Amino acid sequence: MSHSSDASNPTPALRINPGFVLGQLARALTLSAESPDLEIRARSTAKVAHWRKVLEGILTGALDVGSRTPVADAPAWATLKVVTGGFATGELLAEGPLSPHEQAWLKELGPSASHSPRAALNAYFLSDEGLTLLGELLATGAYRVDVPEEGALLVAAWLLRHGAAEQARTMIEELAPFFSRLRFYPVPHTPSTEDGLHVHLQSVAETTKQLQRVRLPLDIERERESAEVWTPLYDELVQLFLETRTSEGVCRHFPATWSERGSKLLDTVARARTKHLLCKWPHHSKSHFSKLCDVLAQSVAEPAALTPGQQRRVQHVLDDIARARGLPGSDRLQALRTEQQRAAARPTHQDLARVLVARLGAYSSGEGLDDLEQVTAPVTAVEAARQGVAAGAEFPPSLIRKLVRCANASIEDLIARKVVTSSEVLARVLPQVSAHVAAQGVNDPELRRLYGHIYAAFRRRRSLLLLDLQSQVKLQELPWVRAIDAHRTPDLGQQEVAAQTLERISSLAISAFPAVLIPNKLLQELRALAQAAGLKIPLVEELAADIFMNAFSPKFDEAARRAAAFVQGSLYARYYDIPREPSLRPDAAHQEPSRRQRVSDFAQRCLARAQAEGHQPRGVSGNGMVIEQAQILTTHNLAVLFDALGLTRTLRPQLPELARRCFESVCQLLLRKAPHYQHRLRNVKNAAYAWRQMVFFLSLLSQSEQEDFGHWAQQRLAAQPRRIAEPFAPALTRLLAVIEEQAWPLPGRVFLGWAVGSHWLLGAPRPERGSV
């Protein structure tokens, strides 16, 4: 469930339906009880606890869902625990149980600190001794800021050391009411060496946890158990019966040690059957192994009591074994057992993961990994002795892929390595870059480093579900960040770096993932870079259809006005029928409408365009139709980014290929099988978004390039299965008519993703199995 600060109805307030929360709770309960994966069950159990808190908060009124301060007695700047859909659980991330480093500090403070430990620790760091420690941390950089609050007292210490005592006092007064609840002091840590030029998807600590969870596949465990436990017992059992063989057959002559050896072997088998349960054949009553064990058990006390039938049964089993793999002592069986032992002795993924975990222990847990080649070198002799893994063993690609996720590299390199696989993942790593860019306006190196830590921690905050056109909490609302901002100086160099970074990231996002919308989380980072660059770019979020109430924020109108000017007369404007807005035409007699009027007119315009599709927009689907028209009119950020950053020049050589990739994505999405009609509708919606991106890229190409694309697209669609080629043909017909600049009315139809009722690409939904 996506959400945005720009989608809601200002009056009246919208009541949140707890149905979504109940659905998430039910799903988590099911997985926590039924998933065969123990890790998924553990994570789902934690989710159950979170969703129960959300549901309880909604039903009791303890949570004001939709507000930017949903938790009572918690300020807007407090970092909340937020789950899927933007729901706050009521927990504060700087609250919670004491961590090990806090408990160590408390021991030094003595028993008096146990009454209110957080208050005691916050107070300690405002003492002379505590401020000295904070000063040392600032100087060395030996700290970590996991949530923004953990940087507050470091800011206070810096202010006091630089003659800004009054500013520090004002800030502390605002924080003091929460001293007993929240930690405003940092986490001790090794100094950071990150430079903002290289990023990693996850930290060394996170990768270590993943490697520790590597388990031996069940079939490999069975092979090992068989080779190490059962085949030696089986061979010993067969050998025992072979010693009873004479020219007349088996079980004819029993050695003097028969009973003693037989009893000992049966005891060993009984213990193994209790302890080793992976292999099924030793436990099966009709297996040759069990048949021999049964005969042995009967013959241990009185060998002569074996009947001729039992003797023939043993002979039959031995003959089968001889034909299948050879009897003990034969070259054939010896070769088989040697190979089985060699296979069992090979290091498994679990063994090798254990070696990597030990290697990663030498690196800073909270950062990325610089020397990937050194960590992935073959197993050394010393490690072989310690870990029981053969020296020289190499690591498999699956473990290397896990390591690459924590490797420090450029964003371009991580995309090429398929570590960054989507725009959403790009948004996760980008704060590591933008934090350094944002900190450039701070001259003092200690404060600049601290600002970067706080910035990155703030960008890790999850967005809240907000109503009434409220905005998400901004970085500058944090009291300690406001204090830092007072010591920033305008830096034209920083603006230039921010502008270059903005252009670089925007180009990467569009060229690497051309068929998808720029996600809201990534838009937050682009907006922050634009602000640092001194650029006013109206970037608009993807709105949630389920909470949309026909209201848009002013930036949507501004984005649409800029987009209309950029695409005027282009293939995009002709395909989607986007006329130049009256307000964009110079007209001295025309009075410029107010900002509120423009926003209202924009919403009405989107509604009218949605109605023109032949259905009266209603419900969630109707909301989606209106939102989709807003995306069309704004090009969902493509036009404003291409215009403001000159991306046409940057991406021009790639545009034909980007358009083709979008078309391929459309075909793949329409081909994708889904169990339910709603899932198929979602695929159609995403295909329509990819199609719109494609039309935009095509609009920047020459007429001949557009015609070449049209011929290629006809061939590609003809190669698709009939179930999508025939229904989709009208959409391509419309595009080809626009490329050929045919006169109106144009044939075919515009491809849109949202529709009230059944979508024309899918037909009427079939009744689900079991429905009435």
Side-chain angles (χ1 to χ4, degrees), residues 691-722:
W691 181 265
R692 187 176 67 243
Q693 305 264 116
M694 178 197 76
V695 174
F696 180 86
F697 298 143
L698 286 174
S699 69
L700 301 176
L701 299 178
S702 67
Q703 177 75 21
S704 62
E705 288 174 310
Q706 293 173 2
E707 291 172 352
D708 289 344
F709 175 87
H711 296 316
W712 174 86
Q714 285 179 296
Q715 295 173 353
R716 291 299 299 145
L717 186 61
Q720 303 303 316
R722 284 183 59 187

PDB file of all heavy atoms in Angstrom, residues 691-722:
ATOM      1  N   TRP A 691       4.620   1.585 -20.690  1.00  0.00           N
ATOM      2  CA  TRP A 691       4.250   2.106 -22.007  1.00  0.00           C
ATOM      3  C   TRP A 691       4.369   3.629 -22.034  1.00  0.00           C
ATOM      4  O   TRP A 691       4.874   4.207 -22.992  1.00  0.00           O
ATOM      5  CB  TRP A 691       2.829   1.662 -22.331  1.00  0.00           C
ATOM      6  CG  TRP A 691       2.290   2.094 -23.654  1.00  0.00           C
ATOM      7  CD1 TRP A 691       1.527   3.195 -23.911  1.00  0.00           C
ATOM      8  CD2 TRP A 691       2.460   1.438 -24.910  1.00  0.00           C
ATOM      9  NE1 TRP A 691       1.204   3.267 -25.233  1.00  0.00           N
ATOM     10  CE2 TRP A 691       1.762   2.199 -25.876  1.00  0.00           C
ATOM     11  CE3 TRP A 691       3.126   0.284 -25.317  1.00  0.00           C
ATOM     12  CZ2 TRP A 691       1.723   1.834 -27.221  1.00  0.00           C
ATOM     13  CZ3 TRP A 691       3.080  -0.084 -26.645  1.00  0.00           C
ATOM     14  CH2 TRP A 691       2.384   0.694 -27.587  1.00  0.00           C
ATOM     15  N   ARG A 692       3.915   4.282 -20.966  1.00  0.00           N
ATOM     16  CA  ARG A 692       3.994   5.747 -20.917  1.00  0.00           C
ATOM     17  C   ARG A 692       5.449   6.210 -20.911  1.00  0.00           C
ATOM     18  O   ARG A 692       5.801   7.188 -21.591  1.00  0.00           O
ATOM     19  CB  ARG A 692       3.262   6.272 -19.689  1.00  0.00           C
ATOM     20  CG  ARG A 692       3.165   7.798 -19.673  1.00  0.00           C
ATOM     21  CD  ARG A 692       2.364   8.310 -18.497  1.00  0.00           C
ATOM     22  NE  ARG A 692       3.025   8.062 -17.229  1.00  0.00           N
ATOM     23  CZ  ARG A 692       2.523   7.289 -16.268  1.00  0.00           C
ATOM     24  NH1 ARG A 692       1.366   6.676 -16.433  1.00  0.00           N
ATOM     25  NH2 ARG A 692       3.172   7.115 -15.137  1.00  0.00           N
ATOM     26  N   GLN A 693       6.294   5.523 -20.174  1.00  0.00           N
ATOM     27  CA  GLN A 693       7.722   5.869 -20.185  1.00  0.00           C
ATOM     28  C   GLN A 693       8.276   5.718 -21.602  1.00  0.00           C
ATOM     29  O   GLN A 693       9.053   6.557 -22.080  1.00  0.00           O
ATOM     30  CB  GLN A 693       8.484   4.959 -19.217  1.00  0.00           C
ATOM     31  CG  GLN A 693       7.965   4.949 -17.782  1.00  0.00           C
ATOM     32  CD  GLN A 693       8.702   5.881 -16.859  1.00  0.00           C
ATOM     33  OE1 GLN A 693       8.137   6.828 -16.337  1.00  0.00           O
ATOM     34  NE2 GLN A 693       9.969   5.628 -16.649  1.00  0.00           N
ATOM     35  N   MET A 694       7.864   4.636 -22.266  1.00  0.00           N
ATOM     36  CA  MET A 694       8.323   4.379 -23.627  1.00  0.00           C
ATOM     37  C   MET A 694       7.905   5.509 -24.571  1.00  0.00           C
ATOM     38  O   MET A 694       8.710   5.988 -25.389  1.00  0.00           O
ATOM     39  CB  MET A 694       7.742   3.052 -24.103  1.00  0.00           C
ATOM     40  CG  MET A 694       8.097   2.662 -25.528  1.00  0.00           C
ATOM     41  SD  MET A 694       6.988   1.372 -26.154  1.00  0.00           S
ATOM     42  CE  MET A 694       5.512   2.362 -26.488  1.00  0.00           C
ATOM     43  N   VAL A 695       6.651   5.936 -24.478  1.00  0.00           N
ATOM     44  CA  VAL A 695       6.154   7.007 -25.355  1.00  0.00           C
ATOM     45  C   VAL A 695       6.943   8.290 -25.113  1.00  0.00           C
ATOM     46  O   VAL A 695       7.278   9.019 -26.058  1.00  0.00           O
ATOM     47  CB  VAL A 695       4.649   7.231 -25.135  1.00  0.00           C
ATOM     48  CG1 VAL A 695       4.159   8.442 -25.932  1.00  0.00           C
ATOM     49  CG2 VAL A 695       3.863   5.995 -25.541  1.00  0.00           C
ATOM     50  N   PHE A 696       7.300   8.554 -23.858  1.00  0.00           N
ATOM     51  CA  PHE A 696       8.093   9.755 -23.562  1.00  0.00           C
ATOM     52  C   PHE A 696       9.462   9.664 -24.223  1.00  0.00           C
ATOM     53  O   PHE A 696       9.924  10.626 -24.849  1.00  0.00           O
ATOM     54  CB  PHE A 696       8.236   9.933 -22.057  1.00  0.00           C
ATOM     55  CG  PHE A 696       9.039  11.151 -21.677  1.00  0.00           C
ATOM     56  CD1 PHE A 696       8.430  12.388 -21.554  1.00  0.00           C
ATOM     57  CD2 PHE A 696      10.409  11.067 -21.468  1.00  0.00           C
ATOM     58  CE1 PHE A 696       9.173  13.518 -21.224  1.00  0.00           C
ATOM     59  CE2 PHE A 696      11.157  12.183 -21.135  1.00  0.00           C
ATOM     60  CZ  PHE A 696      10.530  13.419 -21.018  1.00  0.00           C
ATOM     61  N   PHE A 697      10.136   8.518 -24.090  1.00  0.00           N
ATOM     62  CA  PHE A 697      11.457   8.369 -24.702  1.00  0.00           C
ATOM     63  C   PHE A 697      11.361   8.514 -26.220  1.00  0.00           C
ATOM     64  O   PHE A 697      12.212   9.151 -26.849  1.00  0.00           O
ATOM     65  CB  PHE A 697      12.066   7.016 -24.336  1.00  0.00           C
ATOM     66  CG  PHE A 697      12.294   6.816 -22.864  1.00  0.00           C
ATOM     67  CD1 PHE A 697      12.087   5.574 -22.272  1.00  0.00           C
ATOM     68  CD2 PHE A 697      12.709   7.854 -22.058  1.00  0.00           C
ATOM     69  CE1 PHE A 697      12.289   5.385 -20.917  1.00  0.00           C
ATOM     70  CE2 PHE A 697      12.909   7.680 -20.693  1.00  0.00           C
ATOM     71  CZ  PHE A 697      12.691   6.444 -20.128  1.00  0.00           C
ATOM     72  N   LEU A 698      10.330   7.911 -26.817  1.00  0.00           N
ATOM     73  CA  LEU A 698      10.152   8.006 -28.266  1.00  0.00           C
ATOM     74  C   LEU A 698       9.951   9.448 -28.714  1.00  0.00           C
ATOM     75  O   LEU A 698      10.388   9.842 -29.798  1.00  0.00           O
ATOM     76  CB  LEU A 698       8.953   7.169 -28.711  1.00  0.00           C
ATOM     77  CG  LEU A 698       9.127   5.652 -28.724  1.00  0.00           C
ATOM     78  CD1 LEU A 698       7.805   4.975 -29.055  1.00  0.00           C
ATOM     79  CD2 LEU A 698      10.201   5.250 -29.724  1.00  0.00           C
ATOM     80  N   SER A 699       9.289  10.246 -27.865  1.00  0.00           N
ATOM     81  CA  SER A 699       8.979  11.625 -28.259  1.00  0.00           C
ATOM     82  C   SER A 699      10.233  12.472 -28.412  1.00  0.00           C
ATOM     83  O   SER A 699      10.192  13.551 -29.017  1.00  0.00           O
ATOM     84  CB  SER A 699       8.032  12.261 -27.238  1.00  0.00           C
ATOM     85  OG  SER A 699       8.690  12.465 -26.003  1.00  0.00           O
ATOM     86  N   LEU A 700      11.366  11.996 -27.881  1.00  0.00           N
ATOM     87  CA  LEU A 700      12.620  12.731 -27.969  1.00  0.00           C
ATOM     88  C   LEU A 700      13.476  12.267 -29.136  1.00  0.00           C
ATOM     89  O   LEU A 700      14.593  12.759 -29.322  1.00  0.00           O
ATOM     90  CB  LEU A 700      13.407  12.586 -26.661  1.00  0.00           C
ATOM     91  CG  LEU A 700      12.689  13.086 -25.402  1.00  0.00           C
ATOM     92  CD1 LEU A 700      13.517  12.794 -24.161  1.00  0.00           C
ATOM     93  CD2 LEU A 700      12.379  14.560 -25.493  1.00  0.00           C
ATOM     94  N   LEU A 701      12.950  11.321 -29.938  1.00  0.00           N
ATOM     95  CA  LEU A 701      13.689  10.797 -31.075  1.00  0.00           C
ATOM     96  C   LEU A 701      13.233  11.476 -32.369  1.00  0.00           C
ATOM     97  O   LEU A 701      12.183  12.113 -32.421  1.00  0.00           O
ATOM     98  CB  LEU A 701      13.475   9.282 -31.191  1.00  0.00           C
ATOM     99  CG  LEU A 701      13.950   8.433 -30.001  1.00  0.00           C
ATOM    100  CD1 LEU A 701      13.632   6.973 -30.240  1.00  0.00           C
ATOM    101  CD2 LEU A 701      15.431   8.631 -29.754  1.00  0.00           C
ATOM    102  N   SER A 702      14.003  11.273 -33.400  1.00  0.00           N
ATOM    103  CA  SER A 702      13.653  11.830 -34.707  1.00  0.00           C
ATOM    104  C   SER A 702      12.525  11.024 -35.337  1.00  0.00           C
ATOM    105  O   SER A 702      12.218   9.902 -34.901  1.00  0.00           O
ATOM    106  CB  SER A 702      14.874  11.816 -35.627  1.00  0.00           C
ATOM    107  OG  SER A 702      15.232  10.470 -35.919  1.00  0.00           O
ATOM    108  N   GLN A 703      11.912  11.596 -36.372  1.00  0.00           N
ATOM    109  CA  GLN A 703      10.826  10.920 -37.068  1.00  0.00           C
ATOM    110  C   GLN A 703      11.276   9.567 -37.610  1.00  0.00           C
ATOM    111  O   GLN A 703      10.572   8.562 -37.463  1.00  0.00           O
ATOM    112  CB  GLN A 703      10.318  11.796 -38.223  1.00  0.00           C
ATOM    113  CG  GLN A 703       9.228  11.166 -39.071  1.00  0.00           C
ATOM    114  CD  GLN A 703       7.879  11.162 -38.388  1.00  0.00           C
ATOM    115  OE1 GLN A 703       7.669  11.949 -37.471  1.00  0.00           O
ATOM    116  NE2 GLN A 703       6.988  10.286 -38.816  1.00  0.00           N
ATOM    117  N   SER A 704      12.441   9.502 -38.207  1.00  0.00           N
ATOM    118  CA  SER A 704      12.916   8.239 -38.768  1.00  0.00           C
ATOM    119  C   SER A 704      13.169   7.203 -37.680  1.00  0.00           C
ATOM    120  O   SER A 704      12.887   6.011 -37.859  1.00  0.00           O
ATOM    121  CB  SER A 704      14.194   8.468 -39.574  1.00  0.00           C
ATOM    122  OG  SER A 704      15.238   8.965 -38.749  1.00  0.00           O
ATOM    123  N   GLU A 705      13.691   7.641 -36.532  1.00  0.00           N
ATOM    124  CA  GLU A 705      13.919   6.706 -35.422  1.00  0.00           C
ATOM    125  C   GLU A 705      12.596   6.190 -34.870  1.00  0.00           C
ATOM    126  O   GLU A 705      12.479   5.007 -34.498  1.00  0.00           O
ATOM    127  CB  GLU A 705      14.726   7.385 -34.319  1.00  0.00           C
ATOM    128  CG  GLU A 705      16.191   7.628 -34.676  1.00  0.00           C
ATOM    129  CD  GLU A 705      16.907   8.429 -33.620  1.00  0.00           C
ATOM    130  OE1 GLU A 705      16.381   9.490 -33.214  1.00  0.00           O
ATOM    131  OE2 GLU A 705      18.008   8.011 -33.195  1.00  0.00           O
ATOM    132  N   GLN A 706      11.608   7.063 -34.817  1.00  0.00           N
ATOM    133  CA  GLN A 706      10.288   6.627 -34.365  1.00  0.00           C
ATOM    134  C   GLN A 706       9.698   5.601 -35.330  1.00  0.00           C
ATOM    135  O   GLN A 706       9.103   4.601 -34.910  1.00  0.00           O
ATOM    136  CB  GLN A 706       9.356   7.827 -34.231  1.00  0.00           C
ATOM    137  CG  GLN A 706       9.739   8.794 -33.116  1.00  0.00           C
ATOM    138  CD  GLN A 706       8.893  10.053 -33.129  1.00  0.00           C
ATOM    139  OE1 GLN A 706       7.983  10.199 -33.941  1.00  0.00           O
ATOM    140  NE2 GLN A 706       9.197  10.971 -32.216  1.00  0.00           N
ATOM    141  N   GLU A 707       9.869   5.816 -36.620  1.00  0.00           N
ATOM    142  CA  GLU A 707       9.349   4.875 -37.612  1.00  0.00           C
ATOM    143  C   GLU A 707      10.070   3.530 -37.509  1.00  0.00           C
ATOM    144  O   GLU A 707       9.434   2.468 -37.611  1.00  0.00           O
ATOM    145  CB  GLU A 707       9.492   5.460 -39.009  1.00  0.00           C
ATOM    146  CG  GLU A 707       8.572   6.656 -39.260  1.00  0.00           C
ATOM    147  CD  GLU A 707       8.866   7.341 -40.590  1.00  0.00           C
ATOM    148  OE1 GLU A 707       9.881   6.973 -41.228  1.00  0.00           O
ATOM    149  OE2 GLU A 707       8.092   8.246 -40.971  1.00  0.00           O
ATOM    150  N   ASP A 708      11.381   3.573 -37.300  1.00  0.00           N
ATOM    151  CA  ASP A 708      12.135   2.325 -37.123  1.00  0.00           C
ATOM    152  C   ASP A 708      11.617   1.561 -35.906  1.00  0.00           C
ATOM    153  O   ASP A 708      11.479   0.327 -35.947  1.00  0.00           O
ATOM    154  CB  ASP A 708      13.623   2.621 -36.954  1.00  0.00           C
ATOM    155  CG  ASP A 708      14.276   3.098 -38.244  1.00  0.00           C
ATOM    156  OD1 ASP A 708      13.670   2.905 -39.312  1.00  0.00           O
ATOM    157  OD2 ASP A 708      15.375   3.680 -38.155  1.00  0.00           O
ATOM    158  N   PHE A 709      11.356   2.299 -34.845  1.00  0.00           N
ATOM    159  CA  PHE A 709      10.817   1.648 -33.646  1.00  0.00           C
ATOM    160  C   PHE A 709       9.459   1.028 -33.944  1.00  0.00           C
ATOM    161  O   PHE A 709       9.156  -0.084 -33.479  1.00  0.00           O
ATOM    162  CB  PHE A 709      10.685   2.660 -32.503  1.00  0.00           C
ATOM    163  CG  PHE A 709      10.034   2.077 -31.278  1.00  0.00           C
ATOM    164  CD1 PHE A 709      10.790   1.417 -30.319  1.00  0.00           C
ATOM    165  CD2 PHE A 709       8.659   2.147 -31.087  1.00  0.00           C
ATOM    166  CE1 PHE A 709      10.197   0.861 -29.198  1.00  0.00           C
ATOM    167  CE2 PHE A 709       8.050   1.596 -29.970  1.00  0.00           C
ATOM    168  CZ  PHE A 709       8.828   0.949 -29.032  1.00  0.00           C
ATOM    169  N   GLY A 710       8.626   1.746 -34.682  1.00  0.00           N
ATOM    170  CA  GLY A 710       7.301   1.234 -35.000  1.00  0.00           C
ATOM    171  C   GLY A 710       7.366  -0.087 -35.749  1.00  0.00           C
ATOM    172  O   GLY A 710       6.629  -1.037 -35.436  1.00  0.00           O
ATOM    173  N   HIS A 711       8.266  -0.198 -36.727  1.00  0.00           N
ATOM    174  CA  HIS A 711       8.425  -1.451 -37.468  1.00  0.00           C
ATOM    175  C   HIS A 711       8.908  -2.560 -36.534  1.00  0.00           C
ATOM    176  O   HIS A 711       8.415  -3.697 -36.597  1.00  0.00           O
ATOM    177  CB  HIS A 711       9.420  -1.263 -38.622  1.00  0.00           C
ATOM    178  CG  HIS A 711       8.954  -0.292 -39.666  1.00  0.00           C
ATOM    179  ND1 HIS A 711       7.662  -0.281 -40.157  1.00  0.00           N
ATOM    180  CD2 HIS A 711       9.609   0.708 -40.320  1.00  0.00           C
ATOM    181  CE1 HIS A 711       7.538   0.674 -41.063  1.00  0.00           C
ATOM    182  NE2 HIS A 711       8.701   1.295 -41.179  1.00  0.00           N
ATOM    183  N   TRP A 712       9.873  -2.228 -35.700  1.00  0.00           N
ATOM    184  CA  TRP A 712      10.393  -3.221 -34.749  1.00  0.00           C
ATOM    185  C   TRP A 712       9.297  -3.687 -33.802  1.00  0.00           C
ATOM    186  O   TRP A 712       9.164  -4.899 -33.519  1.00  0.00           O
ATOM    187  CB  TRP A 712      11.558  -2.610 -33.971  1.00  0.00           C
ATOM    188  CG  TRP A 712      12.072  -3.486 -32.861  1.00  0.00           C
ATOM    189  CD1 TRP A 712      13.004  -4.471 -32.959  1.00  0.00           C
ATOM    190  CD2 TRP A 712      11.673  -3.436 -31.482  1.00  0.00           C
ATOM    191  NE1 TRP A 712      13.214  -5.051 -31.725  1.00  0.00           N
ATOM    192  CE2 TRP A 712      12.409  -4.435 -30.808  1.00  0.00           C
ATOM    193  CE3 TRP A 712      10.765  -2.660 -30.760  1.00  0.00           C
ATOM    194  CZ2 TRP A 712      12.261  -4.675 -29.448  1.00  0.00           C
ATOM    195  CZ3 TRP A 712      10.607  -2.897 -29.401  1.00  0.00           C
ATOM    196  CH2 TRP A 712      11.352  -3.895 -28.751  1.00  0.00           C
ATOM    197  N   ALA A 713       8.498  -2.751 -33.259  1.00  0.00           N
ATOM    198  CA  ALA A 713       7.444  -3.093 -32.300  1.00  0.00           C
ATOM    199  C   ALA A 713       6.389  -3.987 -32.946  1.00  0.00           C
ATOM    200  O   ALA A 713       5.863  -4.908 -32.297  1.00  0.00           O
ATOM    201  CB  ALA A 713       6.809  -1.819 -31.747  1.00  0.00           C
ATOM    202  N   GLN A 714       6.055  -3.743 -34.218  1.00  0.00           N
ATOM    203  CA  GLN A 714       5.087  -4.597 -34.908  1.00  0.00           C
ATOM    204  C   GLN A 714       5.599  -6.039 -34.979  1.00  0.00           C
ATOM    205  O   GLN A 714       4.839  -6.993 -34.752  1.00  0.00           O
ATOM    206  CB  GLN A 714       4.833  -4.065 -36.321  1.00  0.00           C
ATOM    207  CG  GLN A 714       3.953  -2.822 -36.375  1.00  0.00           C
ATOM    208  CD  GLN A 714       3.753  -2.335 -37.795  1.00  0.00           C
ATOM    209  OE1 GLN A 714       4.696  -1.929 -38.479  1.00  0.00           O
ATOM    210  NE2 GLN A 714       2.514  -2.394 -38.251  1.00  0.00           N
ATOM    211  N   GLN A 715       6.877  -6.188 -35.274  1.00  0.00           N
ATOM    212  CA  GLN A 715       7.456  -7.533 -35.357  1.00  0.00           C
ATOM    213  C   GLN A 715       7.483  -8.208 -33.985  1.00  0.00           C
ATOM    214  O   GLN A 715       7.183  -9.406 -33.866  1.00  0.00           O
ATOM    215  CB  GLN A 715       8.876  -7.451 -35.928  1.00  0.00           C
ATOM    216  CG  GLN A 715       8.924  -6.970 -37.371  1.00  0.00           C
ATOM    217  CD  GLN A 715      10.348  -6.733 -37.859  1.00  0.00           C
ATOM    218  OE1 GLN A 715      11.300  -6.800 -37.073  1.00  0.00           O
ATOM    219  NE2 GLN A 715      10.488  -6.434 -39.145  1.00  0.00           N
ATOM    220  N   ARG A 716       7.842  -7.438 -32.961  1.00  0.00           N
ATOM    221  CA  ARG A 716       7.899  -8.014 -31.615  1.00  0.00           C
ATOM    222  C   ARG A 716       6.520  -8.435 -31.129  1.00  0.00           C
ATOM    223  O   ARG A 716       6.364  -9.483 -30.511  1.00  0.00           O
ATOM    224  CB  ARG A 716       8.502  -7.002 -30.619  1.00  0.00           C
ATOM    225  CG  ARG A 716       9.971  -6.728 -30.826  1.00  0.00           C
ATOM    226  CD  ARG A 716      10.809  -7.977 -30.667  1.00  0.00           C
ATOM    227  NE  ARG A 716      10.688  -8.536 -29.318  1.00  0.00           N
ATOM    228  CZ  ARG A 716      10.698  -9.833 -29.054  1.00  0.00           C
ATOM    229  NH1 ARG A 716      10.797 -10.719 -30.031  1.00  0.00           N
ATOM    230  NH2 ARG A 716      10.589 -10.254 -27.803  1.00  0.00           N
ATOM    231  N   LEU A 717       5.499  -7.598 -31.411  1.00  0.00           N
ATOM    232  CA  LEU A 717       4.152  -7.951 -30.969  1.00  0.00           C
ATOM    233  C   LEU A 717       3.641  -9.168 -31.742  1.00  0.00           C
ATOM    234  O   LEU A 717       2.976 -10.038 -31.163  1.00  0.00           O
ATOM    235  CB  LEU A 717       3.199  -6.771 -31.153  1.00  0.00           C
ATOM    236  CG  LEU A 717       1.774  -6.979 -30.593  1.00  0.00           C
ATOM    237  CD1 LEU A 717       1.825  -7.233 -29.088  1.00  0.00           C
ATOM    238  CD2 LEU A 717       0.892  -5.768 -30.890  1.00  0.00           C
ATOM    239  N   ALA A 718       3.960  -9.249 -33.032  1.00  0.00           N
ATOM    240  CA  ALA A 718       3.529 -10.397 -33.829  1.00  0.00           C
ATOM    241  C   ALA A 718       4.139 -11.700 -33.319  1.00  0.00           C
ATOM    242  O   ALA A 718       3.560 -12.776 -33.498  1.00  0.00           O
ATOM    243  CB  ALA A 718       3.900 -10.180 -35.293  1.00  0.00           C
ATOM    244  N   ALA A 719       5.299 -11.604 -32.679  1.00  0.00           N
ATOM    245  CA  ALA A 719       5.971 -12.799 -32.160  1.00  0.00           C
ATOM    246  C   ALA A 719       5.413 -13.244 -30.812  1.00  0.00           C
ATOM    247  O   ALA A 719       5.781 -14.319 -30.316  1.00  0.00           O
ATOM    248  CB  ALA A 719       7.474 -12.529 -32.033  1.00  0.00           C
ATOM    249  N   GLN A 720       4.533 -12.448 -30.216  1.00  0.00           N
ATOM    250  CA  GLN A 720       3.970 -12.780 -28.913  1.00  0.00           C
ATOM    251  C   GLN A 720       2.800 -13.753 -29.080  1.00  0.00           C
ATOM    252  O   GLN A 720       2.200 -13.844 -30.157  1.00  0.00           O
ATOM    253  CB  GLN A 720       3.485 -11.518 -28.193  1.00  0.00           C
ATOM    254  CG  GLN A 720       4.547 -10.460 -27.993  1.00  0.00           C
ATOM    255  CD  GLN A 720       5.744 -10.960 -27.234  1.00  0.00           C
ATOM    256  OE1 GLN A 720       5.611 -11.652 -26.227  1.00  0.00           O
ATOM    257  NE2 GLN A 720       6.935 -10.614 -27.716  1.00  0.00           N
ATOM    258  N   PRO A 721       2.437 -14.481 -28.045  1.00  0.00           N
ATOM    259  CA  PRO A 721       1.265 -15.368 -28.110  1.00  0.00           C
ATOM    260  C   PRO A 721      -0.005 -14.581 -28.464  1.00  0.00           C
ATOM    261  O   PRO A 721      -0.134 -13.401 -28.126  1.00  0.00           O
ATOM    262  CB  PRO A 721       1.186 -15.953 -26.699  1.00  0.00           C
ATOM    263  CG  PRO A 721       2.569 -15.842 -26.158  1.00  0.00           C
ATOM    264  CD  PRO A 721       3.132 -14.586 -26.756  1.00  0.00           C
ATOM    265  N   ARG A 722      -0.931 -15.248 -29.106  1.00  0.00           N
ATOM    266  CA  ARG A 722      -2.162 -14.584 -29.544  1.00  0.00           C
ATOM    267  C   ARG A 722      -2.927 -13.970 -28.389  1.00  0.00           C
ATOM    268  O   ARG A 722      -3.590 -12.942 -28.548  1.00  0.00           O
ATOM    269  CB  ARG A 722      -3.055 -15.586 -30.262  1.00  0.00           C
ATOM    270  CG  ARG A 722      -2.607 -15.927 -31.675  1.00  0.00           C
ATOM    271  CD  ARG A 722      -3.583 -16.855 -32.336  1.00  0.00           C
ATOM    272  NE  ARG A 722      -4.915 -16.273 -32.410  1.00  0.00           N
ATOM    273  CZ  ARG A 722      -6.002 -16.938 -32.830  1.00  0.00           C
ATOM    274  NH1 ARG A 722      -5.885 -18.199 -33.194  1.00  0.00           N
ATOM    275  NH2 ARG A 722      -7.171 -16.335 -32.879  1.00  0.00           N
TER     276      ARG A 722
END
